[in-house]
Amino acid sequence: MTPQPRSARVGALALATMLLLAACAPAAPSAPTAAPAAPKPTEAAKPAAPAATTAPAAPTVPAATGIPAAKPAAPAATAAPAAKPSVRSLRIAIATDEGTLNPYTYKTGYPGWNMLNLVWDSLMQLDAQNVPQPLLAASVKTTDAMTYDITMRPGIKWHDGKPLTSEDVKFTYEYFIKITHSRFSSPLRAIDTITTDGPERLTIKLKAPNPSFPVRALADAPIIPRQEWDNVPLERTKEIPAKIGSGPYKLIEATDTAYRLEANPDYFLGAPPVGELLFPVIKDLNTALQALRTGEVQAVARELPPEQVQPFSQAPLKVSKGPGFASTLLQFNLERAPFDKTEVRQAIDLAIDKKKLVDTILLGNGTVATPGFVHPDSPNHDPSVQARFDVAKAKQLLDQAGAVPGPDGIRVLNGKPMAFTVLAQSEQPLRIRAAELIIGMLKEVGIQTTVKVLDNNAVIDLVWKDFDVTKPRDYELAMFGWSAPVQVDPARVVDFAHSDPTIGTGNIGAYKNPEADKIGDQVRAAVDPAQRKQLIGQYERILATDVPFVMLYFQDLAYAYRADAYDGWLFQKGQGIITKLSFLPGFGR
């Protein structure tokens, strides 16, 4: 993939020196074969704030009183006095480069999205329990989940000192609606009108009631400066450097191998406690963990392998643990035969022992996923939708589909052997191991699979080119997954299965079912919580029957860091510690 343009190369010598130290760290000992080293980039945490065990329901805005100001109260008028950072610098190892960290170039849900949020702010911010709290906004009020009256905090400024106003918010939302973005455009298309009343007030009216709007839009879409983005067409969005945001950190340098962020001393919630954040790209997890042991990095933004939790729990090292909401699944390309046949997809689902994957790869530190996509601990999950494993039934379905065993035991369907390639990302060793175990499970029912390991960018290019589901896809099967915020609002299941690409922005398998679309539209429009839960249950049952993907597991999270360097990490429920909340001591806890 062509390297992304980068922002100004300030302080390159210091950064290069830091990278050399990290890259030269000796590799850690190999992990036991029973549980290979390394999970995917997704999240991390803090002992003082243990995460709850259930996936949260989508919070709704209080009908009469509105959402109260974030606790504790932030400065109402001007920025808090700049304080000297308690920690001068932290080095946090990441697995891959994350583009230029503008809203159109970040690559992963974790930690890329979280790094972006250090530079940019949204009107609201999910707190440690994933409840939206006002951030740039001082208050958000609604009585009907259709009209949102927003008052912004006074005196907020961009990194260049210019004021951030309601006009910037209006411009941002209208820009994302016009210049399509796979994440932001769909929820913002719910907007009918946006009107401003002075620099600090605006009213957003939706086309229909939408209780997910605070989570999906207000607490998600980063506000961008009009002076930088006005008249920027879609083809130039990746060229805009993230040099002017409003967040607690300023992006000073971004390269293919590292990022450097400096604290914003004039941040409206007060200067963050760490003066500088360095993010070296260390692709090999063992190398990153060894660099943590030696102190060359002070945190690793990747899940700790289960067998490494105990060794990394010895002072000065610490491990933060909690349930994870990031999913791992086997994705079908329904545009490729025979995955256009429901019976074949059902058979593959039945042939895979998900509990064995959790027990073998995660050493039991995870939750078996159910075929309806929604996390099984979510209060909106339909308990009748359960994970399945039935080899005999899988063989029966393949027989019914006309797949006949060949002389080598591999079935033949429509004259072609059932032999397929499974894509897996090199940065995701646990998913690679899962794919290897699945080889044996599918072979037992007469299906041959081969694992093809590519880097993250190459897999994305084949599965979800330019993050646009309307573009051609070129794969058969892929180990994939969605980051933790997806489970915060259970209605987001529709995003990954709706056939309208403006709604199903994550429907990377080209699944189509008119009945599912009809129920999905009702899910998105439902205001009453009981009705919404009932509709989500219906949607789960349709997905469990059609199996557009095989849901495998949700891995529990464990993140290692050096407490002697910084111990202010906050575990955000289901996500981890590399989040904005870890650097805003007075917010969201």
Side-chain angles (χ1 to χ4, degrees), residues 260-272:
R260 184 160 73 91
L261 281 63
E262 284 186 357
N264 177 6
D266 301 317
Y267 191 58
F268 61 91
L269 291 180

Side-chain angles (χ1 to χ4, degrees), residues 186 189 216 331 334-335 373 464 468-470 473 482 491-525 539 542-543 546 548-549:
S186 180
R189 288 194 183 103
R216 294 289 311 280
Q331 178 69 54
L334 278 71
E335 293 178 331
F373 189 88
W464 195 17
D468 183 349
V469 295
T470 67
R473 48 190 62 81
W482 299 103
R492 285 196 68 179
V493 61
V494 179
D495 295 8
F496 306 97
H498 203 289
S499 64
D500 181 343
T502 65
I503 299 171
T505 55
N507 183 5
I508 57 177
Y511 168 66
K512 296 178 181 179
N513 182 331
E515 180 63 20
D517 288 350
K518 178 182 176 181
I519 299 299
D521 291 339
Q522 294 175 23
V523 167
R524 297 171 71 239
Y539 204 79
I542 292 173
L543 295 184
D546 287 355
F549 34 68

Side-chain angles (χ1 to χ4, degrees), residues 133 196 213 286 412 512 588:
Q133 301 290 345
T196 60
F213 192 71
N286 283 331
V412 177
K512 296 178 181 179

